[in-house]
Amino acid sequence: MSIPKNGYEQAAISLAPLETDMTLEDFLESDLEGYEYMKGKLIPMAAASWEHGIVSARIFLCLGLYVRENQLGEVVTPDTGFQVGERVLKPDIAFISSAQLPDDLSRAFPVPPDLAVEVVSPSDVFRRVIEKAFAYLESGTQIVWIVEPTSQTVRVYRSEKPIRVLGINDTLTGEDVVEGFSCQVAQLFE
């Protein structure tokens, strides 16, 4: 007699990477939704929690309005795929400067975003989130924000700079990537 798996065990199994014979080019040409691609594996993307959705929306609104008002480029949602080395990743929010925007907007972006934002969900494997942050940086992303709703912190990753952890009393800025942008970290979690 087999013991039924609880919901958490089943979710973990269903979120395990799937081996595939798809190449990076095949994935870029496909209309496969709900997955990221990493070196011959499809990485399922779990449904986001309410908390994840709310925090993501707040960041998107603050950053998106600022970028649009100042005509700095585009801010996109997690439906947008970016080629990041041998991966196709879909950050929760991404900023692409006007200078980086490709001519063909009908495909996954052929370059990584200037700014990638990952909001940690309860179903996320934190190690994978950190791996994604370093993959972005290695491929040319200038800044990565990892937003952690549980601890109400934002980790700021930059190449060759120490990781900074911002709390609710700190100000999150776009530094030299989204110049002039700032918001209180507390605003993201109110």
Side-chain angles (χ1 to χ4, degrees):
M1 175 178 175
S2 68
I3 299 171
K5 297 189 182 330
N6 67 36
Y8 296 112
E9 290 170 336
Q10 289 172 335
I13 290 169
S14 67
L15 292 176
L18 306 170
E19 295 289 335
T20 181
D21 59 359
M22 286 181 102
T23 65
L24 175 64
E25 292 74 25
D26 293 338
F27 186 82
L28 288 169
E29 294 295 325
S30 77
D31 59 357
L32 190 60
E33 293 184 22
Y35 292 93
E36 292 180 320
Y37 178 87
M38 180 181 64
K39 300 177 184 172
K41 294 181 182 173
L42 296 175
I43 311 298
M45 297 178 69
S49 67
W50 271 94
E51 181 177 55
H52 180 280
I54 291 168
V55 170
S56 294
R58 288 179 182 154
I59 297 167
F60 182 82
L61 285 171
C62 292
L63 184 62
L65 286 172
Y66 181 83
V67 166
R68 186 165 177 86
E69 287 172 1
N70 292 281
Q71 301 177 355
L72 300 175
E74 296 291 341
V75 176
V76 297
T77 62
D79 303 322
T80 307
F82 290 88
Q83 186 171 344
V84 178
E86 290 298 310
R87 305 173 184 216
V88 174
L89 299 178
K90 298 178 180 179
D92 292 309
I93 299 142
F95 163 73
I96 306 91
S97 66
S98 296
Q100 290 283 88
L101 287 172
D103 294 330
D104 182 3
L105 298 178
S106 66
R107 300 181 51 178
F109 275 68
V111 296
D114 295 291
L115 163 67
V117 181
E118 294 287 346
V119 179
V120 179
S121 290
S123 62
D124 277 330
V125 176
F126 194 70
R127 176 183 51 80
R128 277 197 211 153
V129 177
I130 300 302
E131 286 173 1
K132 284 170 70 170
F134 285 106
Y136 287 122
L137 294 174
E138 288 170 7
S139 293
T141 296
Q142 298 175 55
I143 189 168
V144 178
W145 297 340
I146 295 182
V147 182
E148 299 178 72
T150 303
S151 62
Q152 297 188 338
T153 59
V154 177
R155 291 174 180 244
V156 179
Y157 291 76
R158 301 263 342 227
S159 288
E160 300 181 24
K161 292 189 178 182
I163 298 165
R164 291 184 303 124
V165 180
L166 306 176
I168 58 172
N169 295 321
D170 295 316
T171 301
L172 178 63
T173 69
E175 301 181 29
D176 60 339
V177 178
V178 187
E179 288 191 47
F181 172 78
S182 68
C183 76
Q184 292 301 122
V185 172
Q187 285 180 266
L188 307 178
F189 306 109
E190 292 175 336

